């Protein structure tokens, strides 16, 4: 708007001037060589203006002709740059799309058209990287080091090449050089800090962290956290050699990051060594409120050396109460209770953990508890098998690496403060949906079992079976052994009893139908009820039907009394019973004498093995298989 006003003002002034000149009286006369030219002032002014314009136009034309070579050169140079920048733009687009061949073509064209252009050098170097020509890329980046303008660019490219070829020493060198050339370079500052931390050069890492914070490459929160991690790592390194310096650094790290568990553990441990129990307890309590951890509970239980297991249990309970209803606290209390032999307390704590947040450590502690309290191997194996299928315990995890101990730097990426206390991800949960019965947490109790056994087979039944097939002497002997009454244990009558109840069949009252044995049959406690070898009654070896007769009631009574007495008295009573029986039944005594003779003849025969070869010997192919005789069955 102001320019318009100024233009109209000037135009008004010119018009006013011409009007003033038109009103002037008189004429202007010019005479030269006899010629006289007289005109009014206005006409003279107009002619002078036109002449001046023509003069200026002539001068401009002359100057143009004189400077035409320079103008032509400038024109062609500008045209060349336009083509070069156009090729550079197309090359960058091709590089971004991943077309290395086209990007290289446009890059070469741009390099020809644009001399000493840093962008074309970068395009060609990155094109070589994309095409996999490492030597060419390294050469182009090294050529950039000579120019101060492109030195940082060349160092960055060489740093990337060194990392690609897994050369940490060279990468650290290029990063340090770039950090010196450009102090505020972000990638260089972070790379130098990372490599110093990986190499455990904690003093240099602290100095680099300070420079990064001064250059405003990181914020204050990140600075405090990284400084706490570096101080903790340095204190962990100096704990054995310089405990006082390590304690100072650990305290500073604990003040910068209260939730950093390793800093609290180291500070508490060093405070305990100095005898400052109160300070050690406060450090652990402050960290426990923010981040409960098993290492904190372990350090808190041993904060005072020489305490008994009961005192450690009380201390761990007080620590767990600072943040109630946590699985870490319950497991810590359970461990301290097991050390103090308070198995009921440990069982209750583990039950709460397995109900709320089942984990592998809880199952393993239950197996340890069963073995320590009862020595029950079966229940211990049961808990161990459940532990295999249980969810994973929490651990220190960073970039897919699972570690049982904390580390300040990730071994994969070199990132500072990368490890986190959490459950490893990407693992299946095999115990999803598995329920735990309440009976598993109760103490094991042996209950007496009731098992139905087969009724004893009398010799008459063996005689009836002999009519269909040949009687087996060994089978009859085994059946008679089963028919004998069990000998009670004299020493274990107060603790374990075994009674045989026989219910007669209403149809055949002489034959027992079912015998129910009560006691500890089928368990390891029935060893005390087994008959000794010397107490077993003698059995007839002759299985002929005519040799097996039903004994009288007197013989049954005498045989029962014999079993209940000592082996010597039983033998005497049995001899007297046989004499009385021979007197009462002379025919039966003759049969017994005949059986005795047959037994003696059988003893004189050579021993015949039941197997022609060992059980694990397969034999030859042409050997025919022999028919297997029925073997006697043995019952527990």
């Amino acid at each position: 708007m102001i320019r318009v006003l100024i233009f109209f003002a000037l135009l008004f002034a010119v018009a006013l001037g011409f009007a003033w000149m038109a009103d002037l009286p008189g004429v202007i006369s010019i005479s030269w060589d006899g010629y006289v030219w007289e005109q009014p002032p206005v006409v003279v002014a107009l002619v002078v203006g036109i002449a001046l314009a023509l003069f200026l136009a002539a001068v401009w034309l002359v100057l143009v002709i004189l400077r035409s070579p320079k103008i032509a050169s400038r024109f062609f140079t500008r045209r060349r740059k336009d083509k070069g920048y156009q090729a550079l733009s197309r090359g960058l687009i091709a590089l971004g799309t991943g077309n290395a061949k086209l990007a290289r073509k446009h890059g070469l064209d741009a390099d020809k058209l644009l001399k000493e252009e840093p962008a074309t050098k970068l395009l060609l170097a990155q094109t070589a990287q994309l095409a996999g020509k490492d030597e060419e890329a390294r050469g182009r980046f090294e050529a950039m080091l000579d120019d101060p303008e492109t030195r940082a660019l060349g160092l960055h490219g060489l740093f990337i090449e060194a990392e690609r070829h897994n050369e940490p020493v060279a990468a650290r060198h290029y990063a340090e050089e770039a950090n010196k050339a450009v102090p505020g370079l972000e990638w260089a500052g972070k790379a130098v800090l990372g490599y110093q931390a990986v190499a455990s050069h904690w003093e240099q890492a602290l100095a680099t962290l300070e420079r990064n914070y001064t250059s405003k490459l990181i914020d204050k929160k990140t600075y405090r956290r990284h400084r706490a991690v570096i101080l903790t790592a340095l204190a962990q390194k100096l704990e054995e050699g310089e405990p006082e310096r390590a304690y100072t650094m650990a305290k500073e790290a604990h003040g910068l990051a209260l939730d950093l568990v390793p800093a609290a553990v180291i500070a508490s441990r060093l405070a305990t060594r100095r005898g400052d129990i109160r300070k050690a307890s406060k450090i652990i309590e402050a960290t426990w409120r923010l981040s409960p951890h098993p290492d904190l509970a372990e350090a808190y239980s041993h904060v005072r050396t020489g305490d008994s297991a009961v005192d450690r249990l009380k201390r761990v309970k007080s620590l767990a109460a600072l943040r109630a209803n946590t699985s870490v606290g319950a497991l810590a209390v359970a461990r301290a209770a097991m050390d103090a032999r308070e198995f009921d307390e440990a069982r209750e704590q583990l039950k709460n953990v397995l109900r709320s947040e089942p984990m592998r450590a809880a199952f393993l502690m239950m197996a340890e508890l069963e073995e320590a309290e009862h020595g029950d191997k079966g229940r211990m194996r049961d808990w161990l098998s459940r532990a295999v299928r249980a969810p994973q315990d929490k651990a220190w995890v960073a970039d897919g690496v699972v570690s049982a101990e904390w580390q300040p730097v990730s071994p994969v990426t070199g990132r500072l403060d990368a490890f986190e206390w959490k459950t490893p991800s990407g693992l299946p949960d095999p115990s999803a949906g598995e329920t735990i019965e309440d009976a598993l947490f109760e103490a094991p109790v042996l209950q007496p079992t009731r098992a139905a056994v087969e009724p004893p087979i009398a010799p008459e039944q063996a005689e009836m079976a002999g009519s269909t097939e040949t009687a087996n002497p060994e089978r009859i002997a085994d059946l008679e052994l089963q028919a004998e009454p069990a000998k009670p244990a004299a020493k274990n009558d107060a603790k374990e009893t075994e009674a045989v109840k026989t219910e007669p069949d209403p149809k055949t009252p002489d034959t027992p139908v079912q015998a129910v044995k009560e006691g500890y049959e089928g368990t390891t406690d029935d060893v005390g009820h087994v008959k000794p070898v010397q107490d077993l009654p003698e059995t007839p070896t002759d299985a002929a039907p005519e040799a097996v007769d039903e004994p009288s009631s007197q013989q049954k009574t005498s045989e029962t009394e014999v079993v209940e007495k000592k082996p010597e008295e039983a033998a005497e009573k049995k001899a007297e019973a046989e004499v009385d029986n021979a007197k009462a039944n002379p025919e039966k005594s003759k049969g017994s004498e005949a059986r005795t003779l047959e037994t003696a003849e059988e003893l004189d025969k050579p021993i015949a093995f039941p197997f022609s070869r060992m059980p694990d010997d397969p034999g030859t192919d042409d050997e025919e298989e022999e028919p297997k005789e029925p073997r006697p069955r043995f019952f527990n």
Side-chain angles (χ1 to χ4, degrees), residues 288-301:
W288 179 271
R289 292 186 181 94
L290 299 176
S291 178
H293 195 275
D295 293 345
L296 295 174
E298 181 68 18
Y300 196 78
S301 63

Side-chain angles (χ1 to χ4, degrees), residues 411-631:
V412 179
T413 61
R415 183 164 53 94
L416 196 64
D417 191 28
F419 279 90
E420 299 178 359
W421 180 256
K422 62 180 182 179
T423 304
S425 60
L427 299 176
D429 189 3
S431 65
E434 183 179 358
T435 58
I436 303 176
E437 301 294 338
D438 292 336
L440 292 175
F441 298 102
E442 299 177 358
V445 178
L446 288 177
Q447 299 291 341
T449 60
R450 297 175 60 89
V453 299
E454 295 183 0
I457 301 178
E460 291 82 1
Q461 298 176 349
E463 181 179 358
M464 293 175 62
S467 61
T468 58
E469 58 181 358
T470 305
N472 189 352
E474 297 178 358
R475 175 64 174 168
I476 295 176
D478 295 336
L479 294 175
E480 289 181 353
L481 284 176
Q482 295 176 8
E484 291 291 338
K487 181 180 178 180
K491 296 181 180 180
N492 300 327
D493 287 344
K495 298 181 181 180
E496 302 171 353
T497 59
E498 181 177 350
V500 178
K501 298 180 181 180
T502 305
E503 299 179 359
D505 191 356
K507 297 182 180 180
T508 57
D510 296 336
T511 304
V513 176
Q514 183 178 5
V516 180
K517 184 180 289 186
E518 299 180 354
Y520 293 90
E521 181 184 2
T523 64
T524 56
D525 298 332
D526 61 354
V527 179
H529 301 277
V530 177
K531 304 176 186 178
V533 179
Q534 63 271 17
D535 294 345
L536 295 176
E538 298 181 0
T539 57
T541 58
D542 190 3
E546 61 274 12
V548 180
D549 296 332
E550 181 179 0
S552 61
S553 60
Q554 183 181 1
Q555 292 175 346
K556 292 181 179 179
T557 304
S558 62
E559 290 176 358
T560 304
E561 294 175 355
V562 167
V563 173
E564 296 177 354
K565 296 180 180 180
K566 296 181 179 179
E568 295 81 1
E569 298 178 358
E572 294 178 1
K573 291 293 184 178
K574 186 173 182 180
E576 294 177 0
E578 289 180 354
V579 172
D580 295 340
N581 189 17
K583 292 180 181 180
N585 299 320
E587 295 180 357
K588 292 184 179 180
S589 62
K590 291 179 181 180
S592 62
E593 292 176 0
R595 289 196 301 270
T596 304
L597 293 175
E598 292 176 359
T599 304
E601 292 177 358
E602 290 180 357
L603 292 175
D604 294 337
K605 293 181 181 180
I607 298 174
F609 292 97
F611 302 101
S612 61
R613 59 176 179 272
M614 296 302 292
D616 57 350
D617 185 8
T620 59
D621 297 337
D622 54 353
E623 185 178 359
E624 298 180 356
E625 296 184 358
E626 298 179 359
K628 298 182 181 179
E629 296 181 359
R631 300 292 298 166

Side-chain angles (χ1 to χ4, degrees), residues 65-84:
I65 294 173
L66 293 176
R67 292 185 299 181
S68 59
K70 187 177 181 180
I71 295 173
S73 176
R74 185 185 301 171
F75 169 76
F76 288 113
T77 302
R78 185 176 298 174
R79 182 180 178 184
R80 188 184 185 90
K81 283 187 177 181
D82 292 341
K83 290 183 178 180

Side-chain angles (χ1 to χ4, degrees), residues 63-111:
L63 292 177
V64 167
I65 294 173
L66 293 176
R67 292 185 299 181
S68 59
K70 187 177 181 180
I71 295 173
S73 176
R74 185 185 301 171
F75 169 76
F76 288 113
T77 302
R78 185 176 298 174
R79 182 180 178 184
R80 188 184 185 90
K81 283 187 177 181
D82 292 341
K83 290 183 178 180
Y85 284 120
Q86 187 177 4
L88 178 62
S89 177
R90 292 177 180 176
L92 291 175
I93 294 174
L95 181 65
T97 57
N99 192 346
K101 186 176 180 180
L102 184 60
R104 180 178 178 80
K105 178 182 176 181
H106 290 301
L108 293 175
D109 294 341
D111 190 34

Side-chain angles (χ1 to χ4, degrees), residues 18 41 52 58 65 72 84 92 149 168 216 239 277 287 385 443 449 520 623 632:
F18 274 102
L52 181 61
I65 294 173
L92 291 175
E149 186 179 1
K216 297 182 180 181
E239 183 177 2
I277 300 175
T287 306
S385 64
T449 60
Y520 293 90
E623 185 178 359

Side-chain angles (χ1 to χ4, degrees), residues 233-440:
L234 189 58
Q236 190 175 11
K237 181 180 178 181
L238 301 176
E239 183 177 2
E240 298 297 333
E242 303 179 22
E244 292 297 329
R245 185 183 176 192
Y247 177 64
T248 303
M249 293 182 176
K251 282 198 307 180
E252 183 181 355
H254 176 69
L256 293 173
L258 292 177
D259 59 340
L260 189 59
V261 174
V265 172
I266 295 175
S268 174
R269 188 161 56 234
L270 292 174
T272 302
R273 293 169 84 181
R274 298 180 61 189
D276 195 350
I277 300 175
R278 183 178 180 182
K279 183 65 175 179
S281 302
K282 286 185 176 181
I283 290 174
I284 295 180
E285 289 172 358
T287 306
W288 179 271
R289 292 186 181 94
L290 299 176
S291 178
H293 195 275
D295 293 345
L296 295 174
E298 181 68 18
Y300 196 78
S301 63
H302 296 86
V303 73
R304 181 186 289 110
T305 57
D307 281 353
S308 63
V310 177
D311 294 336
R312 292 198 299 269
L313 175 60
K314 294 179 181 178
R315 188 176 298 111
V316 172
K317 283 184 177 180
S318 63
L319 179 66
L322 296 178
R323 187 167 178 176
N325 301 326
T326 59
S327 59
V328 179
L331 288 177
V333 173
R335 171 58 62 187
M338 290 177 62
D339 294 340
R341 310 295 292 179
E342 297 288 343
F343 297 119
D344 294 339
E345 178 70 22
R347 190 180 298 273
E348 185 65 24
Q349 296 293 335
L350 293 175
K351 180 178 179 181
N352 296 334
V353 173
L354 292 176
R355 287 298 186 192
S356 60
E357 187 179 355
M359 59 181 63
R360 184 167 297 177
F363 286 96
L364 293 176
M365 290 182 65
M366 279 300 302
E368 185 179 353
L369 176 62
E370 293 295 346
E371 184 182 13
E373 183 178 6
H374 305 291
D376 194 340
K377 301 294 183 181
R379 291 172 68 91
M380 181 192 71
R381 293 191 184 96
D382 184 18
W383 286 110
L384 289 177
S385 64
R386 293 176 181 271
V388 174
R389 304 186 301 270
Q392 294 286 333
D393 297 334
K394 289 185 177 181
W396 294 106
V397 182
D399 299 326
V401 178
V402 181
S403 176
E405 298 180 357
W406 176 82
Q407 299 179 17
V409 183
S410 171
V412 179
T413 61
R415 183 164 53 94
L416 196 64
D417 191 28
F419 279 90
E420 299 178 359
W421 180 256
K422 62 180 182 179
T423 304
S425 60
L427 299 176
D429 189 3
S431 65
E434 183 179 358
T435 58
I436 303 176
E437 301 294 338
D438 292 336
L440 292 175

